[in-house]
Amino acid sequence: GGAYIKTYLKNENILVYDFGAGTLDISVIQLEWEDRTPRRIKDNGWKIKGRIGIPIAGNYIDEIIARIVDELLQDDSLWKGCISYKRPLVAKNYIANDKFYHESISRFWKGLKDMKHIWDGENQFKIPIYWGSEIGIVGINNEKLKNEKPSMLDDYNICIPAHYIMNHPEMNAFINFVTVEILDELFGSMEGISKGQIDTLVISGRGSLWCGIVDKVTKEQFPNARFFDGLKSPDIMKEA
C-alpha cells in the first residue's frame, strides 16, 4: 500500500483490476489526500466512481485451452496412429461405464492449470494426456511410437506451439474482451474520468497471471499509470 499512497497528489484516481478464476471485477476509486509531509499520510475520503463485473475470468482460459486440445486430438493426421483419443474432453454425455474416465479428466485439468500459471507464452504449452495403464485421455500405441514420433507428443505430453494458443481466434477474442472491451464499457459509463486520468493501477487475481494480461492492461490501456508489479504467485494473487 505504501508504494501507492506515497504520492503527492491532491486527488488520486485508482483502478483496481481483479481478474480472478471465476469473476472479473473492475473498480475506479478516487482518493482525496490532505496536504501533508512525507511522514504524515492521511486521506480525506474516497469515492467509487465506477465499477463493472462479469462472471467469467481465468477459468474460461482453461476451457479455451481444453477445446484447443480437443480439436488437435481429433485430427488423426497429427498423430500418425500413435495415439487414440478415447476420453473426449468435450463431450455431450458423461461416459458412465468407464471407471477411469473421471480420474483421467481430473489429472488432465490439474496438469493444464499447473502449466497455465507458469507458462511464458513463448515455449510449448505442455499438458500430460497419458499416465500409463488405463489412465489417460488417450490410448498409446507404443509400437508405432518407437518408429515415428509425432511432433506434438513428448513423454506422453501434448506439446502445443505457443503461437497456436496465443493466435487462436477464441483466445484472441476473449483476451480482447477482458482487456479492451470491458474497460471501454466502464469508462463509457462514467463521467469526469478518462483512461488517461488514472494515476495508479492495481492488478490482482490468479487469472491475471496468464501471459499477456498484465502487459495489455498496463502498457496498452494505462501506459501513464503507476503500477506496482509485486504479485507473482497464484496463491498471493488469490489472497490479494
Side-chain angles (χ1 to χ4, degrees), residues 48-119:
I48 296 178
K49 305 296 288 186
R51 61 169 55 170
I52 193 169
I54 55 173
I56 184 172
N59 286 343
Y60 192 69
I61 293 175
D62 300 18
E63 294 180 26
I64 295 173
I65 296 172
R67 284 194 286 272
I68 291 173
V69 173
D70 180 72
E71 292 171 5
L72 293 172
L73 291 178
Q74 289 189 63
D75 186 352
D76 294 333
S77 67
L78 295 173
W79 309 110
K80 305 173 183 179
C82 294
I83 68 171
S84 57
Y85 188 25
K86 61 181 183 178
R87 296 187 176 105
L89 295 167
V90 181
K92 292 182 178 179
N93 299 308
Y94 177 77
I95 306 175
N97 60 347
D98 183 348
K99 63 181 180 179
F100 298 108
Y101 179 87
H102 183 269
E103 183 171 355
S104 298
I105 297 298
S106 295
R107 289 195 184 192
F108 171 83
W109 280 107
K110 184 180 184 304
L112 189 160
K113 288 180 179 296
D114 289 345
M115 185 64 185
K116 186 181 74 169
H117 289 143
I118 63 171
W119 190 51

Side-chain angles (χ1 to χ4, degrees), residues 12 15 17 23 30 65 72 90 108 110 114 120 142-143 151 155 167 199 218:
E12 183 178 9
L15 185 133
Y17 184 92
T23 62
Q30 188 174 78
I65 296 172
L72 293 172
V90 181
F108 171 83
K110 184 180 184 304
D114 289 345
D120 61 5
N142 285 302
E143 290 301 316
S151 61
D155 292 333
N167 297 328
D199 302 302
T218 57

Side-chain angles (χ1 to χ4, degrees), residues 10-11 31 83 102 152 197 240:
K10 184 70 173 178
N11 293 312
L31 283 171
I83 68 171
H102 183 269
M152 284 193 188
Q197 292 174 298

Side-chain angles (χ1 to χ4, degrees), residues 4 7 12-16 198-202 225-227:
Y4 301 118
T7 57
E12 183 178 9
N13 295 321
I14 302 174
L15 185 133
V16 179
I198 295 298
D199 302 302
T200 302
L201 182 62
V202 179
R226 287 176 296 278
F227 170 58

